[in-house]
Amino acid sequence: MAAPIGGKGAAASRASQPAALVWFRSDLRVTDHEPLFRAAADLQLAQSLEQHGALLLPFFCLDSRELTPRAGEAAAGGGTILGIPQLGPHRLRLLLEGCASLRTSLQQLGSNLLWQQGSPEALVGRLVALAAAAGTTRLALHHHTQPGAEALEVEGKVAAAFAAAAAAHGLPASVHTYWGATLYHPEDLPWQLWLPDSDGDGSTGTGSTSSRLPGTSSSRSGTSDASSNGVDGSREGFQQEKWQQRCSCLPGVMSDFRKAVQAHAPVRPPFPAPRHAESSSSSSSSPAVPPLPASFAAAAVDAGLLGSLPTNLCRVYAAAGDEAVAALSSWEALTGVVCAELAPACSAQHDGRSALPFTMGEQQAQLRLRYYLGLEESDGHRLRAAGHPPPIAGYGQSRMQAFGVDHSAKLSAFLALGCLSPRMVHAAVMEVAAAELAREQQATGGSGSGGAAADAAHEVADGVAEVKLSERQGQAVAEWREPTAADSWRWLLMHLGIRDFFIYNHLKQGPAPMRLGGSSRTPPEWRQDPELFGRWVQGQTGLPFVDACMRELAATGYTSNRGRQNVASLLAKALRIDWRLGLRYFESTLADHDCSANLGNWAYNAGTGADPRDRTFKTVTQGLRYDPDACLIRAWVPQLAALTPPELAHQPWTAPPEALAAAGVQLRPWQQGAAAEAESGTGGWYPFPAVDPATQTGKGPKKQQQQQQQAASAQPLAQE
Ligand SMILES: Cc1cc2nc3c(=O)[nH]c(=O)nc-3n(C[C@H](O)[C@H](O)[C@H](O)COP(=O)(O)OP(=O)(O)OC[C@H]3O[C@@H](n4cnc5c(N)ncnc54)[C@H](O)[C@@H]3O)c2cc1C
């Protein structure tokens, strides 16, 4: 039985009782979360104007549609693209962990996270009904806008459902959208993206500026009246078109974009987290979060909106219906990985070989970031033993290595789920830069320019400028310069610039790159080969570096950037298989999946993007360079673990028969090995390469293959 909601004073304050809904999406954090900050600030202002009973309702919806396959995409040669869920089990686990962590953060602020599995448009309607029953007289919906046609479409549906629900209860309502996905805010880019209000998009600009961005705002200027904002579901796709139109002036080549923004665009400081209403720091610039009233919480519990977050992944698919269960089975069949055998969410269990052994969440993201940068915790506790250089120290070189947790930043999953914002990374990097600048100043004597150095360091720490220590007329000047091999954090900032490029380029191009030939003028012949595609997914191509990366990806949801480039190049350039199958497999499986980064990188590696450079990776050479000790291969391709030296583990087809025998390696043509394994149920063999490793074309190194086949036929399968 639902408790009456609204509390004792509800009737008395009915004349002015505002409620703000804050929709969390891929932004699972409370720091640098403008929608939460602004919603809390609005309610604080309302309360200071003697409006009482303000409700702040943070919510998240686990969208069941994402657990099913993507509909309506035809692959080369016909047929739908893959029957796997858009949100595969690795991504799902991290998402649930991110939500659990967000709920803890909100509870620490005296609030909570309302959540439901279903559709966000249905959830928003239920929340409006609950708020109306609690005596709310005015409604606002605050959320980040999210790049990607699908995300923008869902935004349109949610806004329409919100407007309809508010109208049904006779409540005035407004929608406030914010931009928080990139390091560089759209309004700060060195190109003019924004719109005059007369653009006719139906939104009512009420701010001080005469122009605004399509479907977004960082201030009041994007506020729209939900009952008249034109977001009525009949205008779906409108925002995507608008973004495409407005971003058309952006450069299509990554380095042009990145260099321009890094030289000319400022980075805004992150928004602080709002504070607990009873926190003693009432002087803080952070607004207070109104606590969730007990009566409302009780009603939300009754409505099933405050239940525990699930940890059992299979049950989440089951709750989404038969289509999701079938999609999960397809993913399991494709990868050979069984969902029920994966660690449940929040269990803190990880495959010992994983390069991503983290639990998701804002706190964990901060720990990783500060550990990686070698920064002290706020309590002065250093995470790394004193005297040891922080992992970032070797980043200029190590970031390309394919094996290990600390070779690269491992921030992508935190960024993709929004447990961390790019501005938060930037702010932490600026702390490092400021310290470095001060040290360099001290080392060079700092004569006469101590004040200037301090000013520059301060400017840097404030995020006003990137750093280059240069002396101009005795003054330290902070400015961007391209990183050299010896640099560390400059590379990290550069990568965030690349990330921004892919997001803006996605907004600019819309779904165009998803055409088979992308934007290239002479699309090559693409083919479907389910068997070969399955071998690629399961790491059975006979190219050990590629196979190790693919097995790592299927088992953990992560493989390095170098690994991704190589496996993508092999699929698209050497095997000539419809590259969008790879894109969709990555979408489902990558723990750090980001629709813009995934699409942009695939288009680049398949040669279908706008970038004029067309690289084909020689995967053996790459493996030897970026996994020189064959650590990755030994970890993920146990059949080759004993093959030494590392050069042979990278190219077992070149190994003399006695070396293969000593290491217990059985090389077989794939069909033969797979058939024998199916019959005997035992593995222990490794396939010959599916392509000629020297040229990455054709069927395989014929001469060597023949020799090895002769030798192999003399050896029985290991366990036979
Ligand atoms: C085919 C393919 C698909 C990819 N799909 C994704 C994806 O869905 N999501 C994703 O975040 N990255 C994707 N990447 C980019 C890159 O592989 C990962 O960002 C990187 O491996 C993450 O590890 P890290 O955090 O240690 O990155 P680092 O190398 O330490 O870089 C730091 C941060 O910079 C950003 N970054 C670095 N390189 C890139 C890049 N090429 N594109 C975009 N951002 C970059 C990421 O946010 C990353 O966390 C893809 C790359 C390829 C080749």
Side-chain angles (χ1 to χ4, degrees):
M1 177 82 188
I5 51 177
K8 281 183 191 158
S13 58
R14 196 164 278 270
S16 52
Q17 191 172 315
L21 278 63
V22 180
W23 179 21
F24 284 88
R25 313 174 72 192
S26 293
D27 51 0
L28 305 175
R29 61 179 184 273
V30 296
T31 310
D32 201 26
H33 198 285
E34 191 175 1
L36 177 66
F37 186 95
R38 298 266 184 219
D42 266 9
L43 295 179
Q44 187 166 284
L45 180 68
Q47 283 187 321
S48 72
L49 298 175
E50 311 248 312
Q51 299 180 2
H52 298 292
L55 275 180
L56 187 127
L57 306 178
F59 73 99
F60 174 83
C61 183
L62 181 54
D63 197 332
S64 287
R65 291 168 296 208
E66 292 186 25
L67 302 169
T68 63
R70 187 174 287 278
E73 272 179 1
T80 47
I81 221 154
L82 282 178
I84 60 177
Q86 296 161 64
L87 191 73
H90 297 304
R91 278 181 70 196
L92 176 62
R93 181 173 64 81
L94 299 193
L95 179 66
L96 293 171
E97 290 176 353
C99 286
S101 163
L102 173 65
R103 173 173 266 185
T104 304
S105 301
L106 288 166
Q107 285 168 342
Q108 285 163 358
L109 293 175
S111 186
N112 211 325
L113 182 70
L114 299 145
W115 86 278
Q116 190 187 41
Q117 183 172 347
S119 79
E121 53 272 28
L123 177 53
V124 90
R126 299 186 70 197
L127 289 170
V128 168
L130 278 180
T136 288
T137 55
R138 176 163 63 84
L139 283 165
L141 171 66
H142 298 258
H143 67 86
H144 274 126
T145 205
Q146 213 168 279
E150 286 99 3
L152 290 172
E153 193 181 316
V154 173
E155 249 169 60
K157 287 181 179 165
V158 166
F162 175 69
H169 290 93
L171 296 173
S174 56
V175 179
H176 309 259
T177 53
Y178 306 86
W179 182 264
T182 51
L183 181 60
Y184 301 97
H185 193 281
E187 285 168 5
D188 299 334
L189 295 179
W191 304 274
Q192 299 282 308
L193 299 194
W194 46 91
L195 299 171
D197 278 343
S198 60
D199 245 25
D201 64 1
S203 298
T204 49
T206 57
S208 53
T209 53
S210 61
S211 61
R212 62 173 210 82
L213 286 158
T216 184
S217 87
S218 63
S219 66
R220 306 293 86 189
S221 63
T223 300
S224 57
D225 173 353
S227 53
S228 63
N229 68 356
V231 189
D232 57 7
S234 62
R235 307 182 70 158
E236 278 166 23
F238 156 78
Q239 288 189 321
Q240 175 63 48
E241 283 164 28
K242 219 45 154 177
W243 274 111
Q244 273 176 255
Q245 190 187 334
R246 291 299 152 181
C247 290
S248 60
C249 58
L250 297 180
V253 176
M254 182 204 295
S255 54
D256 294 349
F257 173 91
R258 191 186 55 68
K259 285 180 185 166
V261 291
Q262 273 164 337
H264 302 295
V267 175
R268 298 180 179 194
F271 283 83
R275 63 188 169 81
H276 193 288
E278 284 164 18
S279 106
S280 50
S281 58
S282 54
S283 61
S284 144
S285 59
S286 297
V289 170
L292 200 63
S295 53
F296 188 93
V301 168
D302 284 347
L305 301 181
L306 270 179
S308 325
L309 284 150
T311 53
N312 183 312
L313 307 178
C314 297
R315 283 205 203 127
V316 177
Y317 289 97
D322 291 349
E323 209 190 341
V325 172
L328 178 63
S329 299
S330 301
W331 185 88
E332 290 178 323
L334 183 65
T335 57
V337 173
V338 179
C339 180
E341 290 172 8
L342 294 174
C346 303
S347 64
Q349 293 166 25
H350 301 280
D351 187 315
R353 301 165 293 178
S354 177
L356 205 68
F358 311 120
T359 304
M360 271 305 109
E362 184 172 350
Q363 263 197 332
Q364 292 84 344
Q366 283 288 0
L367 278 175
R368 171 66 189 172
L369 176 64
R370 297 186 76 77
Y371 159 81
Y372 199 72
L373 296 178
L375 288 167
E376 283 179 347
E377 291 269 77
S378 52
D379 65 359
H381 169 69
R382 205 171 248 288
L383 292 162
R384 209 175 168 76
H388 283 261
I392 185 93
Y395 185 71
Q397 298 291 335
S398 69
R399 71 201 159 82
M400 286 184 284
Q401 295 299 314
F403 186 73
V405 179
D406 284 346
H407 281 147
S408 65
K410 304 297 180 319
L411 294 178
S412 52
F414 294 114
L415 286 163
L417 285 164
C419 301
L420 202 58
S421 76
R423 290 190 298 225
M424 288 157 76
V425 179
H426 183 266
V429 168
M430 288 301 106
E431 279 185 50
V432 177
E436 191 177 292
L437 183 59
R439 266 199 312 276
E440 283 181 38
Q441 279 290 291
Q442 239 175 8
T444 54
S447 58
S449 58
D455 285 352
H458 187 70
E459 206 187 14
V460 165
D462 275 353
V464 174
E466 318 292 359
V467 170
K468 177 190 177 191
L469 182 66
S470 63
E471 292 281 338
R472 277 193 212 144
Q473 296 161 352
Q475 298 260 306
V477 179
E479 62 187 45
W480 173 258
R481 73 160 160 76
E482 289 290 289
T484 63
D487 279 317
S488 54
W489 52 263
R490 280 191 183 85
W491 284 107
L492 188 54
L493 291 187
M494 196 183 111
H495 284 155
L496 293 182
I498 292 173
R499 183 180 174 278
D500 270 22
F501 167 76
F502 283 122
I503 291 174
Y504 283 114
N505 201 44
H506 191 192
L507 287 167
K508 172 181 170 169
Q509 298 202 320
M514 271 308 291
R515 286 194 305 267
L516 195 54
S519 29
S520 63
R521 284 193 200 95
T522 49
E525 288 294 311
W526 298 99
R527 62 189 176 116
Q528 292 259 314
D529 185 335
E531 183 183 281
L532 199 49
F533 181 71
R535 285 177 64 184
W536 176 78
V537 168
Q538 294 201 4
Q540 297 283 359
T541 67
L543 293 157
F545 182 56
V546 168
D547 289 348
C549 294
M550 292 306 291
R551 293 179 192 199
E552 179 189 31
L553 176 60
T556 70
Y558 185 88
T559 194
S560 68
N561 182 52
R562 190 53 53 172
R564 295 179 203 197
Q565 289 175 309
N566 276 277
V567 302
S569 175
L570 184 84
L571 186 82
K573 298 274 175 65
L575 303 178
R576 281 282 169 226
I577 289 180
D578 184 346
W579 61 279
R580 299 168 312 167
L581 293 171
L583 173 95
R584 290 303 179 216
Y585 173 62
F586 270 37
E587 172 187 63
S588 183
T589 309
L590 275 181
D592 60 19
H593 174 257
D594 169 280
C595 61
S596 307
N598 195 34
L599 178 56
N601 278 288
W602 266 102
Y604 176 78
N605 282 284
T608 59
D611 205 297
R613 279 209 298 175
D614 190 14
R615 290 186 70 185
T616 298
F617 286 81
K618 293 275 165 27
T619 56
V620 175
T621 318
Q622 287 274 311
L624 286 165
R625 189 173 303 154
Y626 298 112
D627 182 28
D629 300 324
C631 296
L632 189 80
I633 293 173
R634 292 187 209 298
W636 292 104
V637 191
Q639 296 89 334
L640 304 177
L643 197 54
T644 50
E647 289 75 14
L648 290 186
H650 278 280
Q651 15 188 5
W653 57 88
T654 64
E658 49 288 7
L660 291 173
V665 177
Q666 304 276 332
L667 288 181
R668 298 262 155 143
W670 188 77
Q671 265 88 0
Q672 193 192 321
E677 186 177 334
E679 211 180 297
S680 66
T682 53
W685 60 284
Y686 188 71
F688 283 110
V691 294
D692 184 341
T695 59
Q696 300 245 140
T697 56
K699 285 274 176 217
K702 276 216 179 97
K703 197 168 160 220
Q704 281 158 346
Q705 190 162 329
Q706 276 161 5
Q707 286 169 354
Q708 295 293 352
Q709 247 169 287
Q710 280 161 10
S713 60
Q715 302 173 339
L717 273 177
Q719 285 93 346
E720 270 175 354

